[in-house]
Amino acid sequence: MTSRMIKGFSLFLTLMLLISFFPTLSVQAANSLQPAALQTSVPRFEPGDCAAFSLPVGFGQGRKLECGWLVTPELHEKPTGKTIRLGVVILRSLAANPPTDPLFMMQGGPGGSTLHDFPSFLAMGKLLQSERDIVLFDQRGTLFAEPKLSCSETQDLAIRTLDQNLSDAENLRLSNEAVAACRQRLQKEGVNLAAYTSVENAGDVDALRQALGYDQINLYGVSYGTLLALDVMRLYPQGLRSVILDSVVQPNDHFVNGIVNTDVRTLNLIFAGCAAQADCNRAYPNLEKVFYEQVDRLNKTPVHITLTDSTNGGKTAPALLNGDTLMNVLFYTLYVTDFIPVIPQVIYDVRAGDYSFIERIYSQVVYDFSISDGMYYSVNCADYQNEPAPAAGDFQLPPEMEKLRALSVQNFYDSCKTWSVPLQDPQADQPVKSDIPTLVMSGAFDPATPPANADEVMKTLGRAFRVNFPAGAHGEALGNACGERILQEFVQDPSRQPDTACISPQSPQFITKSSIVRLPKLISLLNLEGTSVPEGLLLLVGLLFLLTCLLAYPLAWVIRMIRGRKPAQSPYPVYDPANPASSQAAAAGTRQPSRPAVWRFAPWLAILAAGGLAVFMGILLVILFGMIANNDNLLLFGLPGSSRPLFILPILVLLTLLAMLLVTFMAWVRRWGSVWGRLYFTLLTLAGLACVFVLALWGMLTALVA
């Protein structure tokens, strides 16, 4: 288990897996925002180039983008002192008379990057249909802020020790040394670590509102972003029209001590939910027992796996997977609603020695350089370093989990001692009392911020509306069409409860063999990893050549008809110089067939093979594009079970090609037709076999029984 993962429970895992489908795009800003009067004042907005933020393709399509930087005091109590800069992206409304209150959006963490994570979700969602401006900004210290409090030291340590089976004590020691090195470097760069707190963060939100000239805003926060939103409600209520709290962190909830407990709560819900569903229980019996058996097995005998750095051209690296790391990786997975139904399958895959899903999630965790570790420490250590550590057994956890909890808590307190920032004002731990219209959202399976947090916060909010997703996890308003619709309706009219009819009342339906077509290589193909590119090119070239028969054979038939070619069987003897027997037949006046029936039918075999492959690939692409457009994480495993009949086609095509191969052999042995005709048919057969070979490599010939 790497030192970076020990503290990683509290970081919000965004839907990084399918983001890889969307390459970055540089968008030139329309620099029309800055009023002349604010050019030298603080806070102020300085227009800039959107290319600095590596926005994804499709983001802002049909909308006017404006990008730049908020210049704000490092300490708001010293408005004329040192300043910092925060990256800002604004999606301007195209409405003729747009509302004057925009939607501000904030990421969690602390240390997460709004500008890195949110645009890909917004590019796929319906929020861009909103009539109002949408304002995204990176919080102080995060990825697109100056200064940036990222810790390359902790990142390098995580990568350097991937394949090392370190002891817990060694892990803690190396982690603390890396944190100390990061702190020392940032201080030498002139960073005041005590200035990176939730209170200063809240001041930035109101500073941005003022700099952009808005009287009031609608404020959305997820995970730690909800705690920040509550601070804004406490300190700057006059600037808020409405607030959306998605996956709530309570002001007085010391989550560092309890994060493993909430993770186990979600796991137990999954274990119980699977046992209650007949198909799931039949496919994955004794799920809880199997899970902890795998943790124990891997802690005793770690296995070697391969991680892929998608940020570095798909470079791979060996890594060691032990039981603690398995639990860490699985906890990250629990954050994503679409992954909850696949957890039983993942556990049984691990038991069978299939670590492909774990490798992919682990890779995303290790090679995610968007999170600012320094900001994480500055905020959380100021908030929680003085809380008492719980005693062993306080949470009544399984032994494996208790060990992990103790290790993560110890690492946090050691790191905070090293980071050495002052505690925040105790007032920040008090519940927020407010009459600002507030939408409070939660997911029943949230591993970090359970629904009980939302219920507790609601007690002191006078005009709050509650929305819970029975099958939801962490962060329900992004990448979720229903959540987006509810958010949008609430912002349009915060005075009333939004319509929640779109929320399914059912718990997650866990996938089994009957509900999914397993295609383990599918996600690698979509991300063009490994040998996917040459294999894809071979399939494309083979299919295109095979498809030529759809034109060549009908065209040849038309030409023969136009030329008035004799019937396939001549009524007169035919002399063939290559066949001496033909001269005797000619002399005897016997009739000879020019083309056997099998050879006359051969073009139809090629046409059937080409048509079958074309139909299969066409339908497959339609399904894939639909899943990508819907941000369907099932792609990590395969396709919906409803697509199973489609995979009959490759098998039928294979049988057709085997028949073509037999006909090809007979045609050359018995010299049917012309040499050019035999050669063309042979090439068609080889092209089709090449296509089927690639499909076999991709697991599509065995998908019906996988």
Side-chain angles (χ1 to χ4, degrees):
M1 179 177 62
T2 68
S3 55
R4 192 177 184 214
M5 290 189 68
I6 297 174
K7 70 156 178 63
F9 296 122
S10 56
L11 301 180
F12 171 60
L13 177 66
T14 311
L15 207 135
M16 297 182 249
L17 297 174
L18 293 182
I19 287 177
S20 55
F21 296 140
F22 299 92
T24 57
L25 173 69
S26 296
V27 185
Q28 183 63 42
N31 297 332
S32 60
L33 185 68
Q34 181 71 355
L38 296 179
Q39 289 291 337
T40 59
S41 62
V42 176
R44 67 176 182 272
F45 181 83
E46 295 179 346
D49 191 341
C50 290
F53 306 127
S54 302
L55 301 175
V57 170
F59 178 65
Q61 186 174 6
R63 300 283 292 271
K64 180 182 177 183
L65 280 181
E66 297 185 9
C67 302
W69 303 88
L70 170 70
V71 179
T72 185
E74 183 181 50
L75 292 170
H76 288 281
E77 64 181 14
K78 298 180 179 179
T80 60
K82 182 180 178 181
T83 60
I84 60 176
R85 299 208 309 166
L86 314 180
V88 180
V89 174
I90 306 166
L91 289 85
R92 289 295 188 189
S93 170
L94 294 179
N97 296 297
T100 58
D101 48 275
L103 176 63
F104 276 39
M105 306 191 76
M106 302 186 300
Q107 174 59 298
S113 168
T114 303
L115 299 187
H116 176 273
D117 298 333
F118 280 19
S120 291
F121 287 108
L122 293 176
M124 295 180 287
K126 299 180 182 299
L127 282 175
L128 290 181
Q129 300 174 4
S130 170
E131 294 182 351
R132 55 183 30 84
D133 296 346
I134 297 176
V135 179
L136 308 177
F137 66 97
D138 260 17
Q139 298 160 30
R140 58 174 55 205
T142 59
L143 184 63
F144 295 109
E146 298 174 356
K148 177 175 64 173
L149 272 62
S150 61
C151 287
S152 58
E153 296 82 359
T154 59
Q155 296 166 355
D156 292 344
L157 173 64
I159 294 172
R160 190 172 67 250
T161 58
L162 278 176
D163 59 349
Q164 299 179 27
N165 192 23
L166 301 175
S167 67
D168 294 341
E170 186 73 357
N171 250 323
L172 291 170
R173 182 183 67 80
L174 291 175
S175 176
N176 200 40
E177 289 177 357
V179 171
C182 179
R183 182 182 190 278
Q184 184 178 17
R185 174 178 56 80
L186 291 174
Q187 284 193 315
K188 286 183 178 179
E189 294 172 359
V191 177
N192 178 7
L193 298 179
Y196 292 82
T197 65
S198 295
V199 170
E200 298 295 342
N201 245 346
D204 295 338
V205 176
D206 198 64
L208 181 59
R209 176 189 66 81
Q210 296 178 50
L212 297 181
Y214 296 114
D215 291 331
Q216 284 192 320
I217 62 172
N218 305 282
L219 185 61
Y220 168 86
V222 62
S223 197
Y224 164 71
T226 65
L227 188 62
L228 179 54
L230 288 166
D231 281 330
V232 178
M233 294 172 73
R234 185 202 316 272
L235 300 172
Y236 305 98
Q238 71 283 354
L240 297 175
R241 173 178 176 263
S242 71
V243 176
I244 302 95
L245 305 177
D246 187 359
S247 304
V248 180
V249 177
Q250 298 181 65
N252 57 350
D253 179 24
H254 296 165
F255 71 92
V256 173
N257 277 334
I259 186 67
V260 175
N261 185 54
T262 58
D263 285 322
V264 172
R265 182 197 72 89
T266 297
L267 274 179
N268 288 339
L269 287 175
I270 292 173
F271 297 149
C274 181
Q277 294 179 19
D279 286 348
C280 186
N281 191 44
R282 186 163 45 249
Y284 316 111
N286 302 313
L287 186 61
E288 181 176 4
K289 179 174 180 289
V290 170
F291 171 66
Y292 288 112
E293 285 176 349
Q294 303 320 302
V295 172
D296 290 337
R297 172 178 67 86
L298 290 172
N299 274 334
K300 292 175 182 177
T301 310
V303 298
H304 290 276
I305 60 176
T306 301
L307 304 187
T308 302
D309 182 3
S310 59
T311 67
N312 191 22
K315 183 179 178 181
T316 60
L320 207 64
L321 179 69
N322 59 25
D324 291 344
T325 302
L326 173 65
M327 288 190 289
N328 273 300
V329 175
L330 201 64
F331 290 159
Y332 274 94
T333 306
L334 298 178
Y335 279 76
V336 184
T337 296
D338 288 348
F339 286 163
I340 297 296
V342 306
I343 297 300
Q345 175 71 61
V346 171
I347 293 172
Y348 264 71
D349 281 352
V350 169
R351 189 178 75 160
D354 179 358
Y355 304 102
S356 55
F357 180 82
I358 298 297
E359 286 176 328
R360 187 163 295 279
I361 299 297
Y362 194 10
S363 296
Q364 294 289 350
V365 172
V366 170
Y367 297 111
D368 175 22
F369 304 122
S370 68
I371 293 176
S372 170
D373 291 352
M375 185 61 178
Y376 170 88
Y377 289 124
S378 282
V379 171
N380 279 341
C381 292
D383 286 351
Y384 304 118
Q385 65 176 307
N386 204 34
E387 66 176 276
D394 277 2
F395 295 108
Q396 298 181 340
L397 300 174
E400 298 87 352
M401 296 297 183
E402 175 56 35
K403 172 196 170 187
L404 198 62
R405 183 207 61 78
L407 188 61
S408 62
V409 169
Q410 184 63 50
N411 184 74
F412 175 76
Y413 285 120
D414 288 350
S415 298
C416 285
K417 184 177 180 181
T418 299
W419 203 250
S420 186
V421 291
L423 289 171
Q424 70 168 354
D425 187 337
Q427 180 64 28
D429 279 343
Q430 300 305 310
V432 174
K433 298 180 180 180
S434 175
D435 286 328
I436 298 171
T438 306
L439 177 65
V440 183
M441 308 174 76
S442 64
F445 285 76
D446 192 328
T449 56
N453 288 14
D455 296 334
E456 190 66 26
V457 167
M458 288 276 292
K459 294 178 180 179
T460 56
L461 300 179
R463 299 173 62 192
F465 303 102
R466 181 80 165 83
V467 176
N468 185 57
F469 292 79
H474 194 72
E476 286 301 310
L478 293 178
N480 178 335
C482 179
E484 291 171 357
R485 191 178 308 127
I486 291 171
L487 185 156
Q488 191 172 21
E489 182 179 327
F490 173 74
V491 173
Q492 289 172 349
D493 185 0
S495 65
R496 63 178 184 177
Q497 171 85 35
D499 184 4
T500 59
C502 62
I503 299 177
S504 171
Q506 296 182 339
S507 296
Q509 296 300 303
F510 298 99
I511 68 166
T512 61
K513 285 186 176 181
S514 63
S515 60
I516 187 173
V517 178
R518 289 298 303 271
L519 294 170
K521 287 200 65 175
L522 185 58
I523 193 66
S524 297
L525 299 176
L526 294 174
N527 287 330
L528 304 179
E529 297 171 355
T531 59
S532 300
V533 172
E535 291 169 358
L537 288 175
L538 178 59
L539 175 62
L540 178 62
V541 171
L543 180 58
L544 289 177
F545 184 81
L546 186 59
L547 288 173
T548 62
C549 73
L550 300 179
L551 177 63
Y553 283 128
L555 185 61
W557 181 83
V558 170
I559 292 174
R560 285 198 301 269
M561 293 295 295
I562 292 175
R563 290 180 176 178
R565 184 169 176 173
K566 293 180 179 180
Q569 181 171 300
S570 172
Y572 303 101
V574 179
Y575 174 69
D576 184 353
N579 184 5
S582 66
S583 61
Q584 299 175 4
T590 58
R591 297 172 59 189
Q592 289 195 58
S594 62
R595 288 197 304 165
V598 173
W599 186 242
R600 291 199 303 272
F601 185 71
W604 288 106
L605 290 175
I607 290 172
L608 286 173
L613 276 175
V615 170
F616 172 76
M617 294 303 300
I619 296 176
L620 180 63
L621 289 174
V622 169
I623 294 173
L624 290 176
F625 285 135
M627 295 179 72
I628 293 171
N630 292 325
N631 195 25
D632 192 340
N633 287 313
L634 188 63
L635 283 168
L636 287 166
F637 292 87
L639 301 180
S642 58
S643 65
R644 194 176 305 277
L646 174 65
F647 291 89
I648 297 174
L649 276 177
I651 297 175
L652 295 177
V653 169
L654 174 60
L655 295 176
T656 303
L657 289 168
L658 292 176
M660 289 176 63
L661 189 62
L662 178 61
V663 171
T664 299
F665 175 77
M666 295 175 63
W668 283 104
V669 170
R670 300 187 180 184
R671 301 183 180 181
W672 292 340
S674 68
V675 172
W676 288 110
R678 280 177 270 158
L679 181 61
Y680 178 61
F681 189 79
T682 301
L683 293 176
L684 289 175
T685 303
L686 294 176
L689 289 173
C691 293
V692 171
F693 173 72
V694 173
L695 294 180
L697 290 177
W698 294 351
M700 295 184 180
L701 289 184
T702 56
L704 286 175
V705 296

